[in-house]
Amino acid sequence: MPKRYYITTPIYYVNSVPHIGTTLTTFISDVTARYQKMQGREVTFLTGTDENGLKVKEAALAAGKQPQQFVDEISEKFKAIFEGMDIRFDDFIRTTEPRHFAAVQEVFRRLQAKGYIYTGKYEGWYDISSETFFKEAELVDGKSPDGNEVRWVEEENYFFKLSAFEKPLLEHIEKNPNFILPEARRNEVISYIKQGLRDASISRANDGWGVPIPGDEKRVVYVWFDALINYLSATGWPASGYENYWPADVEFMGKDILTRFHATLWPGILMGLDLPLPTTLVGHAWLLIGQEKISKSKGNVVRPLELAEELVAASGCEYPIAIDAVRYYMASSLPFENDTTFTHDEFYKRYNSDLANDLGNGLNRSLAMAHKFVDGKVPAAKPDMESFGACTDALAQYNKSMKGFRIDHATDAVWGVVRFLNKYIDTKAPWALAKAQDPKLNEVLASMLFSLRFVQGLLIPILPATAAEIADQLSIEDRTTCDLDITEPGTPLKQPRPIFPRIDLTKMQTPQPEPETPKPEVKAPEPAPAQPEQITIEDFMKVQLRVGRVLEAEAIEGATKLLKLQVMLGSEKRQIVAGIAANYAPIDLIGRQVIVVANLKPAKLRGVESQGMLLAAVDENNGAILLQPEKEAPDGGLVR
């Protein structure tokens, strides 16, 4: 049996439910797992909860519950939130499980038998919040480096000879440059080790909660020593068959728990057991609120499922798509090397610009023109070299980024093709090719649909619900690989259905008062011709102007001046009757952006309802010259 690709997250403290920061680590693990499965690998993706430790017991008692009841409830909430984010883990380990207790105690016995564990007296400062011991010199203003309160602890403890592994650990890091990522974290770890590794206290007095020390029921295993072993206990170690999983291919975690624990204590334990080390440790940076890390203890949390619910209320999108929007934000803004600040405004802006405007527009425009010009079927033509080259380059960047765990760069590669598609449509102007009956029309449309199929494949690990919706509209059968294949010519396409309704950002923000503009001195005006009746700014603001895109246009029987248009205003489709037939043929309008008076009361013209009005200048013959943005603008965007 070939070794499985083994991915782990840190196991999460159950003193409270997860927020977007803890979900981030699990999310990038999910993306990596899905990607590896698309490469044909057998994958095991492990996450779970850390349920031992003093602070967990204190949180349970503060909630008026027994520890086991408390951790049972919180652990289920972690599962529910991760599953709600469409995160598909293969195994969920809890440190209160018998399999974990057995593995921890066996690790202790083996290290003790090899002389790597000894007894001694510990005196020092202990941060209960992070379950970490600190030297006096490490305190900052009498608190831990994280700003938490510390307690002085004096007790007889068991110690692990971490100092014995200082030199072999440095040698391993230097020989394996990808053992710790990113490089900045690797350098931090090397600097920390060179300061000298001290032996680690690995036990606490037994207060009735935790993994008992084998042969010494008065003490329990220190929670960090206990927790790290979960990656091994989930494989079934030491029973036969654990080799199908171990060593882990990648272990993801936040940067705060990399240096002191995952990059030193954990490798030391494994070296003491003569077991191979994980292939790669990834210590990503933090999501911040303002200047602070998102933290349950600080109360500045953003909960991912609530964020998705807020997006549904603001935009009207489907709930699975809102979940994908949260996933997209985390993927595109992944704090890999440097911290990223989260704001609701930025989240909504990215939804509008990247999802609604770029991806949604490209899909809607392509399908609308395919239905208009080739009867809604995939044309019998190959994509041109321009689109094939753009997709080929993106695939290389995507694969390289995924293999390097740069989910943000992989997402950039996908959106490079999305933006290419929209620019390609504007440059090739399929509506003009159709009007001129240019034979290149089929090739251009085939290229557009090819690019969309390609994007759909790359989105499967990142935005699975969106990928499924695009596949449905393109009539692509379920697939588990990303390729450069072409959809079978003649495949019927579905009508475009907007996936990402735009948000009116003006309603999401509190308007700031405009500074009062000083009135300039003016001379008495010269006599002037009679002016039109003036209106106030309040009168003008009652008129809502929006950018629309023409999907369909046709003449109205019996009317020589009128055309009936189907116009998309973001996610809303409007029927508009316009007196522009003298200057525009229907074929000229397909795909064109126009300016629409969006809040005009519907009226009937020649028995056809019109749900808006187009803005146009007047030429010398009293004909219409349609107004449009100077460059491509967001469909449905506000004009002011």
Side-chain angles (χ1 to χ4, degrees), residues 413-429:
V414 181
W415 253 257
V417 178
V418 172
R419 294 182 180 112
F420 162 81
L421 170 62
N422 282 299
K423 186 175 180 181
Y424 180 89
I425 294 171
D426 293 338
T427 302
K428 299 297 183 181

Side-chain angles (χ1 to χ4, degrees), residues 130-142:
S130 64
E131 304 273 16
T132 307
F133 294 101
F134 291 100
K135 301 176 185 176
E136 181 81 33
E138 293 176 307
L139 301 185
V140 180
D141 297 327

